[in-house]
Amino acid sequence: MTETTVAARRSITVNATPERAFDVFTAGFSTWWPLESHHIGETMATEAIIEPFAGGRWFERDADGNECNWGFVTEFEPPSRVLLAWHLNPEWGYDPDPEKATEVEITFTAVENGTLVELEHRGFEKHGETGAKMRDAVSAPGGWTDLLEMYAKAV
């Protein structure tokens, strides 16, 4: 196994039902995603949207209505799972090639004190040597750990 095949895995337990946790993550994506820092468009995004169906888009929209795709919804299984194709390359630009997309899978499991939310970002090997840098970036401060903390506060 090469270093780039290692997935970024994070989890957090939120004080909510799986239905609520799933809804805040997907339909409420803009309520917790840090649009001022985590956008790829030339101007700051005002919305981040996950369309609620397989084949839907995962994208940002700015105040003027300009949209930048991040990827697509591969599977949408409320309230237990969503699988997203991440079409951002290691330079944080959109790449429409499905062969280059990594995957972000989020599962929602009822536990005694709420819902365990587990996120796995995988497939970095598709980017060769730069895939490890991408994995390190999403695993670093400002990456998935911090994003899940923001999400938990919104729940």
Side-chain angles (χ1 to χ4, degrees):
M1 178 185 319
T2 64
E3 190 67 20
T4 57
T5 61
V6 177
R9 293 182 181 92
R10 300 291 182 266
S11 64
I12 195 162
T13 300
V14 296
N15 186 17
T17 64
E19 291 81 5
R20 167 93 177 130
F22 185 93
D23 187 57
V24 171
F25 196 99
T26 58
F29 196 52
S30 281
T31 66
W32 61 271
W33 189 263
L35 296 165
E36 64 284 345
S37 60
H38 287 61
H39 64 90
I40 63 169
E42 292 183 20
T43 60
M44 189 178 85
T46 56
E47 293 180 276
I49 298 149
I50 297 173
E51 293 180 328
F53 52 90
R57 293 182 309 143
W58 180 26
F59 64 102
E60 67 185 57
R61 182 181 296 134
D62 71 16
D64 294 328
N66 299 308
E67 296 177 350
C68 290
N69 286 331
W70 297 352
F72 295 91
V73 179
T74 305
E75 297 180 29
F76 196 82
E77 302 169 3
S80 61
R81 179 174 174 264
V82 64
L83 180 63
L84 304 167
W86 169 294
H87 282 261
L88 300 187
N89 61 35
E91 292 77 34
W92 310 113
Y94 179 74
D95 184 343
D97 183 354
E99 296 299 316
K100 298 284 180 82
T102 58
E103 292 182 322
V104 180
E105 180 177 28
I106 307 95
T107 59
F108 304 83
T109 306
V111 294
E112 185 175 323
N113 56 342
T115 299
L116 174 63
V117 180
E118 297 177 288
L119 182 146
E120 180 177 297
H121 191 163
R122 59 184 176 253
F124 300 105
E125 67 277 3
K126 294 177 179 185
H127 295 287
E129 292 298 317
T130 59
K133 291 179 185 176
M134 179 184 261
R135 185 204 57 239
D136 292 347
V138 301
S139 299
W144 287 122
T145 299
D146 291 348
L147 293 167
L148 284 179
E149 288 290 335
M150 291 175 200
Y151 157 74
K153 288 177 184 174
V155 173

